[in-house]
Amino acid sequence: MCGRYASTIPPEAMVELFKLIKSINLLPRFNIAPTQPIVAIWESAGRREGHFARWGLVPGWVKDPRDFPLLVNARAESMAEKPAFRDPLKHGRCLVPASGYYEWHTGPDKKKRPYYITRADGQPMALAGLYATWSGPEGEEIDSVATITVPANAQLSAIHHRMPAILLDERSQDDWLNVREVRAAEAAAMARPLEDGVLRFHPVSTRVNSARDDDPGLIEEVAEEKPEPPKKKVAGGQMDLF
């Protein structure tokens, strides 16, 4: 699962990297969490623009978003069959620009330790996503997004068994956004794990656990905390570390 990420790409770089027709006003973010507004890129009438959307997809057929479960991620293996993702895969594919994302590894001591994962070459990421627009009875509209996950490659499986679908090159990004000519089945085949070595990761502070924290220090590497050795029981019910 991908449940937190960072996006620090300057607006002018966003325009150049993703061929937007205009820039979008955004500030660097270091701890983006579900339900928050995010920047997503999609095409409309051949025009590629950045939009603010809610992270947590709400299909157009939902009666009341407040009664609908939070759909932050779509599993690539099943999104073509799921009612919530089936139409967005055909008509609502998008890119979510990111500088890196966070994942938590559960150690032998059952503690979860966060890691920050980026491209090894330092370039921004384009996460594959799906978007939908919900229209309410009073004319209100909500644009919303789910990011797509795939099985982790061997390198990332040391941390977690899933990873986001990341589109590395310009051709794959163009095809993903081209809902007019690239069919859903072809697009779904593009959502697959990256090869080992494309990404790198390092441990970060547990401050990232709180969505209230959002500062550059969250992505900085920290010393990896070693799990405590298990305590052994001895006669009389006492605990012994030796």
Side-chain angles (χ1 to χ4, degrees):
M1 161 175 191
C2 175
R4 296 285 177 86
Y5 73 96
S7 184
T8 62
I9 309 166
E12 59 276 13
M14 189 91 74
V15 170
E16 182 177 352
L17 284 169
F18 298 105
K19 299 183 288 188
L20 306 182
I21 62 171
K22 61 181 180 180
S23 64
I24 184 168
N25 188 22
L26 71 164
L27 296 173
R29 294 288 311 281
F30 297 90
N31 194 10
I32 302 171
T35 74
Q36 293 180 352
I38 67 173
V39 173
I41 296 167
W42 60 78
E43 288 185 357
S44 179
R47 294 162 60 89
R48 187 179 295 189
E49 294 186 89
H51 304 262
F52 286 106
R54 173 186 183 265
W55 190 13
L57 189 118
V58 181
W61 44 261
V62 170
K63 291 185 178 180
D64 189 343
R66 294 171 296 182
D67 298 330
F68 194 73
L70 188 64
L71 300 179
V72 176
N73 297 141
R75 294 174 69 94
E77 304 94 311
S78 58
M79 60 184 174
E81 288 77 42
K82 297 291 185 181
F85 304 131
R86 191 165 49 219
D87 285 343
L89 181 60
K90 294 177 183 177
H91 311 295
R93 301 194 296 267
C94 66
L95 301 175
V96 177
S99 304
Y101 73 97
Y102 300 95
E103 195 55 83
W104 282 256
H105 173 64
T106 303
D109 56 358
K110 306 302 180 185
K111 288 185 178 181
K112 290 187 175 182
R113 295 175 175 82
Y115 289 80
Y116 184 56
I117 303 166
T118 62
R119 284 181 50 163
D121 60 8
Q123 294 300 306
M125 296 178 176
L127 309 183
L130 304 173
Y131 79 91
T133 300
W134 179 85
S135 300
E138 304 300 323
E140 66 271 36
E141 289 189 346
I142 298 174
D143 289 330
S144 59
V145 171
T147 47
I148 297 171
T149 67
V150 296
N153 59 24
Q155 178 192 20
L156 271 294
S157 63
I159 298 176
H160 197 270
H161 65 283
R162 305 288 296 179
M163 64 184 296
I166 301 171
L167 302 173
L168 285 179
D169 57 86
E170 186 176 305
R171 173 64 183 274
S172 62
Q173 295 168 18
D174 290 347
D175 288 347
W176 180 259
L177 294 179
N178 187 359
V179 297
R180 293 165 290 126
E181 299 173 333
V182 179
R183 297 190 176 188
E186 298 173 90
M190 297 166 57
R192 55 184 181 268
L194 296 180
E195 295 182 0
D196 291 349
V198 176
L199 302 178
R200 62 185 177 189
F201 56 85
H202 60 258
V204 293
S205 169
T206 54
R207 288 196 303 116
V208 75
N209 295 349
S210 172
R212 293 189 299 270
D213 288 330
D214 190 348
D215 60 79
L218 295 178
I219 65 174
E220 294 178 0
E221 184 172 2
V222 300
E224 193 160 12
E225 182 183 349
K226 300 299 182 183
E228 295 181 4
K231 296 181 179 180
K232 299 178 182 179
K233 286 187 178 181
V234 296
Q238 298 296 317
M239 305 298 288
D240 189 1
L241 292 176
F242 306 100

